[in-house]
């Protein structure tokens, strides 16, 4: 870190706390390199004055400031919902045309592309789950709900294999907050025989 061509370091303390022979500071260090590029770093130090009167660093925390992601837009939410609906129809159509294994592969692609199981447990309560296996917070549980075939989830019949041909999203409300969005409403599903759910 110290070899990055720094030519200036400016300390901007937000606060200094003094207590006997210790001091704690928090604020920013503004670093300028040899090309004139500026880096702002969050810093917290704790100093101890030793027996010779020299200030010694006893704790040192440094991090780049938090940069929030771009806010979610309603258009992005609508596109994500459409992607989910199209994915459901794709799984069902693939099952009817190419069989179970192809449909399972399609379901895996939909789950991996649309859900956040690679980040954290997903708060997924499917439509047709009951008993001790209602919530599907893992990828395995979600995949079983969509296509069945997993003995760990013996009651799953494959929700995505029910011949769906259209999925229409009707939002009652969309709540946007920073890089998250919450929606509530209905999904209108039509199967290959024209039945509407």
């Amino acid at each position: 870190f110290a070899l990055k061509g720094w030519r200036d370091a400016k300390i901007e303390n937000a606060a200094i706390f003094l207590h006997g022979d210790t001091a704690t500071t928090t604020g920013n260090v503004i670093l300028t390199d040899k090309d004139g590029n500026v880096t702002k770093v969050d810093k917290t130090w704790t100093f101890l004055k030793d027996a010779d009167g020299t200030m010694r660093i006893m704790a040192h925390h440094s991090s780049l400031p938090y940069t929030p992601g771009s806010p979610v837009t309603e258009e992005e939410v609508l596109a994500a919902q459409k992607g989910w609906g199209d994915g459901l129809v794709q799984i069902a159509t693939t099952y009817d045309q190419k069989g179970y294994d192809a449909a399972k592969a399609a379901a895996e692609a939909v789950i991996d592309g649309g859900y956040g199981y690679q980040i954290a447990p997903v708060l997924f309560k499917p439509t047709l789950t009951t008993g001790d296996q209602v919530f599907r917070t893992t990828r395995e549980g979600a995949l079983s709900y969509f296509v069945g075939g997993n003995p760990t989830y013996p009651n799953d019949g494959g929700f995505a294999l029910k011949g769906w041909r259209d999925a229409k999203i009707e939002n009652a409300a969309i709540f946007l907050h920073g890089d998250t969005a919450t929606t509530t409403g209905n999904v209108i599903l039509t199967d290959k025989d024209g039945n509407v759910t």
Side-chain angles (χ1 to χ4, degrees), residues 44-67:
T44 300
W45 281 297
T46 297
F47 298 93
L48 171 69
K49 185 187 289 187
D50 69 14
D52 296 326
T54 302
M55 296 292 285
R56 303 287 186 180
I57 296 172
M58 301 304 294
H60 179 180
H61 170 265
S62 180
S63 63
L64 294 174
Y66 170 69
T67 303

Side-chain angles (χ1 to χ4, degrees), residues 9-192:
K10 180 182 178 184
I11 311 296
E12 295 182 347
N13 289 306
I16 299 175
F17 175 73
L18 304 175
H19 183 73
D21 58 359
T22 66
T24 301
T25 72
T26 191
N28 298 113
V29 176
I30 312 300
L31 300 169
T32 305
D33 69 16
K34 60 187 175 184
D35 298 319
N37 300 308
V38 176
T39 301
K40 184 177 183 180
V41 179
D42 294 341
K43 285 281 190 182
T44 300
W45 281 297
T46 297
F47 298 93
L48 171 69
K49 185 187 289 187
D50 69 14
D52 296 326
T54 302
M55 296 292 285
R56 303 287 186 180
I57 296 172
M58 301 304 294
H60 179 180
H61 170 265
S62 180
S63 63
L64 294 174
Y66 170 69
T67 303
S70 59
V72 175
T73 66
E74 184 170 325
E75 291 74 20
E76 289 174 315
V77 172
L78 297 177
Q81 290 178 322
K82 183 179 185 306
W84 181 90
D86 291 348
L88 182 68
V89 170
Q90 178 193 5
I91 296 165
T93 304
T94 300
Y95 178 65
D96 289 341
Q97 295 175 351
K98 300 180 180 179
Y100 178 81
D101 289 341
K104 182 179 179 182
E108 289 176 319
V110 168
I111 290 169
D112 293 340
Y115 287 80
Y117 289 106
Q118 70 276 27
I119 300 171
V122 173
L123 312 184
F124 181 22
K125 192 287 171 195
T127 308
L128 302 178
T129 54
T130 59
D132 295 334
Q133 297 181 324
V134 170
F135 304 103
R136 301 304 169 86
T137 60
T138 67
R139 181 184 185 275
E140 178 190 14
L143 181 62
S144 180
Y145 176 71
F146 278 119
V147 298
N150 186 335
T152 303
Y153 299 90
N155 296 322
D156 286 351
F159 177 78
L161 307 182
K162 296 183 179 294
W164 308 120
R165 292 298 180 266
D166 186 62
K168 179 181 178 184
I169 312 295
E170 294 183 347
N171 290 303
I174 299 175
F175 174 73
L176 304 175
H177 182 72
D179 58 359
T180 66
T182 302
T183 71
T184 192
N186 296 113
V187 177
I188 313 300
L189 299 171
T190 305
D191 69 17
K192 59 188 173 183

